[in-house]
């Protein structure tokens, strides 16, 4: 049954390179020419959020040097530079759901060992408010999380965390406004979370305000520690 479902999904949403949108093989979701254009976050990154840094002697990015996070550590696959922003835009707003599999595969290949060493027990996507999900038709973070869970053999809880406030888009706000915008925006659907270590998944990391708010809700409900992993993030300089 699972094979039939996967076959049907491939027919509806055949694997496509998330950057040039050409149909690809499942074994190689990104075409060779596009892979040359994208930039991995690299090894010299902020020890807290994972933003790429230019100076190996620097431990934290500018944001993490000023603000504390609720999550323990974060990672991202690519730097938020062309052609990544265009790819994520199509994924979120133009129904290119098949990109989620490519993103998750890259995420698993890059950070699968890191995730296992953190003893992650479950994957949780950042939820959309019901109004926004109804309008868009799907939650892009949920697609990535479910694909990542399949690859790594981890349970995915799409209903553990809910967004109770329909907040303003974060891209329109500054750092302080982002944090205030997301205060009490998330809550758990269970009064007690019996998972010690959780991985929160999202598409883009900017300042970490969204992931912080989500992590705070999980920790308040009993989680011992939260890690994060995103498709892309900007540079920490």
């Amino acid at each position: 049954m699972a094979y039939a479902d996967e076959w049907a999904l491939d027919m509806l949403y055949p694997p496509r390179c998330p950057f040039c949108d050409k149909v690809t093989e499942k074994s190689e979701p990104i075409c060779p020419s596009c892979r040359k254009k994208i930039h991995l976050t690299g090894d010299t990154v902020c020890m807290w959020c994972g933003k790429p840094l230019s100076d190996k002697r620097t431990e934290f990015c500018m944001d993490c040097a000023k603000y504390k996070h609720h999550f323990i550590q974060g990672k991202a696959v690519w730097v938020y530079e062309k052609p990544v922003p265009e790819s994520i835009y199509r994924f979120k707003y133009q129904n290119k759901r098949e990109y989620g599999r490519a993103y998750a595969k890259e995420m698993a290949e890059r950070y699968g060992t890191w995730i296992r060493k953190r003893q992650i027990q479950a994957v949780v996507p950042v939820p959309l408010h019901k109004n926004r999900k109804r309008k868009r038709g799907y939650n892009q973070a949920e697609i990535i999380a479910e694909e990542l869970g399949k690859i790594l053999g981890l349970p995915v809880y799409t209903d553990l965390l809910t967004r109770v406030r329909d907040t303003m888009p974060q891209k329109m706000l500054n750092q302080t406004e982002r944090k205030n915008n997301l205060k009490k925006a998330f809550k758990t659907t269970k009064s007690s979370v019996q998972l010690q270590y959780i991985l929160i998944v999202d598409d883009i990391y900017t300042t970490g305000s969204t992931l912080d708010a989500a992590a705070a809700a999980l920790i308040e409900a009993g989680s011992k520690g939260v890690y994060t992993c995103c498709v892309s993030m900007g540079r920490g300089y």
Side-chain angles (χ1 to χ4, degrees):
M1 187 68 177
Y3 177 81
D5 290 343
E6 189 171 340
W7 180 85
L9 185 63
D10 285 343
M11 291 296 293
L12 286 171
Y13 302 107
R16 291 180 179 273
C17 173
F19 301 105
C20 67
D21 202 43
K22 294 179 181 177
V23 175
T24 62
E25 298 293 331
K26 289 182 69 174
S27 59
E28 184 50 61
I30 299 173
C31 68
S33 60
C34 287
R35 194 172 286 281
K36 294 176 183 178
K37 300 174 186 177
I38 52 181
H39 302 285
L40 294 171
T41 51
D43 297 323
T44 304
V45 299
C46 174
M47 294 177 64
W48 206 336
C49 74
K51 281 186 177 179
L53 301 171
S54 57
D55 189 346
K56 292 183 178 181
R57 298 169 296 178
T58 304
E59 292 186 346
F60 302 106
C61 69
M62 292 188 293
D63 286 336
C64 292
K66 294 185 290 186
Y67 305 102
K68 291 184 177 181
H69 296 297
H70 292 286
F71 58 83
I72 296 173
Q73 192 177 32
K75 299 289 184 183
V77 182
W78 298 302
V79 182
Y80 194 68
E81 296 171 350
K82 286 186 176 184
V84 176
E86 294 86 348
S87 173
I88 294 177
Y89 181 88
R90 293 194 299 272
F91 174 56
K92 292 174 70 169
Y93 303 113
Q94 296 181 355
N95 203 33
K96 294 293 185 178
R97 306 187 197 194
E98 62 272 23
Y99 289 4
R101 282 179 282 177
Y103 296 154
K105 187 174 186 295
E106 294 294 308
M107 200 177 278
E109 288 185 0
R110 185 111 193 266
Y111 297 118
T113 300
W114 174 79
I115 290 169
R116 292 186 181 93
K117 285 183 177 179
R118 269 69 197 167
Q119 299 179 313
I120 300 297
Q121 294 171 291
V123 181
V124 173
V126 171
L128 286 177
H129 188 270
K130 60 182 180 181
N131 293 342
R132 197 170 300 180
K133 187 173 181 179
R134 188 183 305 117
K135 183 178 180 181
R136 188 177 300 171
Y138 58 97
N139 176 4
Q140 75 280 356
E142 192 172 304
I143 293 172
I144 300 168
E146 287 179 339
E147 293 294 338
L148 184 65
K150 287 178 191 175
I151 296 169
L152 298 181
L154 289 170
V156 179
Y157 295 110
T158 60
D159 59 351
L160 179 61
L161 200 60
T162 183
R163 198 163 193 148
V164 294
R165 288 180 53 225
D166 194 2
T167 54
M168 290 180 62
Q170 289 291 88
K171 61 184 179 182
M172 300 171 62
L173 309 173
N174 62 34
Q175 176 77 18
T176 302
E177 290 170 337
R178 285 170 186 263
K179 289 186 175 294
N180 291 333
N181 185 46
L182 287 161
K183 282 182 178 178
K184 302 297 181 182
F186 301 100
K187 74 173 184 179
T188 56
T189 54
K190 297 180 180 180
S191 57
S192 179
V193 174
Q194 304 297 319
L195 296 165
Q196 288 196 334
Y197 296 107
I198 296 171
L199 180 72
I200 299 179
V201 169
D202 205 0
D203 55 348
I204 303 171
Y205 180 105
T206 307
T207 63
S209 298
T210 300
L211 293 168
D212 264 334
L218 291 169
I219 292 169
E220 186 177 349
S223 175
K224 188 175 180 180
V226 175
Y227 293 86
T228 70
C229 198
C230 298
V231 175
S232 181
M233 60 170 47
R235 294 187 182 275
Y237 299 100

